[in-house]
Amino acid sequence: MQATHPHFPHYRLWLIIGWGMVVGAAVLSLIPLSIDMREGGDKIGHFVAYAGLTFWFGMLYAGPRRRLAIALAFTLMGVAIEFLQGLTDYRSFEVADIVADAVGTVIGVALLHTPLANALDWVERFLRRIGWNG
């Protein structure tokens, strides 16, 4: 993937934020947490996290092949994390989590076909307008 993006002067910032989200999702998935959620409530978190990750990186890297690769990579990340959780004594492997992750990636890609896909363009224009150069 390219080092800079011609449409995003703050590309490195967006990339750092994106990788921060990836690390955050992985860490939160693998540390012991004692959050009491209603039956299946964590699936919403899986769905939102993977939709957000796929959407974020899809905004940074246009093109159907790149976006498919991004969706596949995040789906595989979800599978890998589930296997890692199964190796712990405080988390468990759940196929339903993998499904929620995969559905999230599909929705993330679908959002890239809406006007929301221009969100970083809008932010970049706003930053230019206020004179913030990062």
Side-chain angles (χ1 to χ4, degrees):
M1 293 189 184
Q2 60 196 27
T4 60
H5 194 288
H7 297 102
F8 298 131
H10 300 93
Y11 171 78
R12 286 195 174 113
L13 173 64
W14 309 139
L15 198 58
I16 289 168
I17 290 170
W19 282 107
M21 292 188 302
V22 170
V23 170
V27 168
L28 289 172
S29 295
L30 294 172
I31 63 173
L33 289 175
S34 59
I35 298 173
D36 184 25
M37 294 192 143
R38 294 191 174 141
E39 186 64 33
D42 66 317
K43 306 310 176 256
I44 294 168
H46 283 266
F47 169 82
V48 169
Y50 284 81
L53 288 168
T54 303
F55 179 70
W56 185 267
F57 280 92
M59 285 191 296
L60 292 177
Y61 299 104
R65 285 188 179 166
R66 284 183 174 171
R67 288 176 172 174
L68 178 62
I70 289 165
L72 181 60
F74 283 122
T75 300
L76 291 174
M77 177 180 144
V79 172
I81 285 175
E82 284 306 311
F83 277 101
L84 291 172
Q85 286 179 341
L87 297 174
T88 70
D89 59 350
Y90 50 85
R91 290 292 186 106
S92 62
F93 176 93
E94 291 186 39
V95 172
D97 288 349
I98 293 172
V99 171
D101 299 342
V103 171
T105 61
V106 169
I107 296 302
V109 170
L111 288 172
L112 293 165
H113 296 281
T114 72
L116 287 175
N118 299 314
L120 287 179
D121 289 319
W122 301 333
V123 173
E124 288 284 357
R125 276 184 280 185
F126 173 75
L127 293 175
R128 268 194 307 274
R129 218 173 300 133
I130 65 169
W132 190 69
N133 294 323

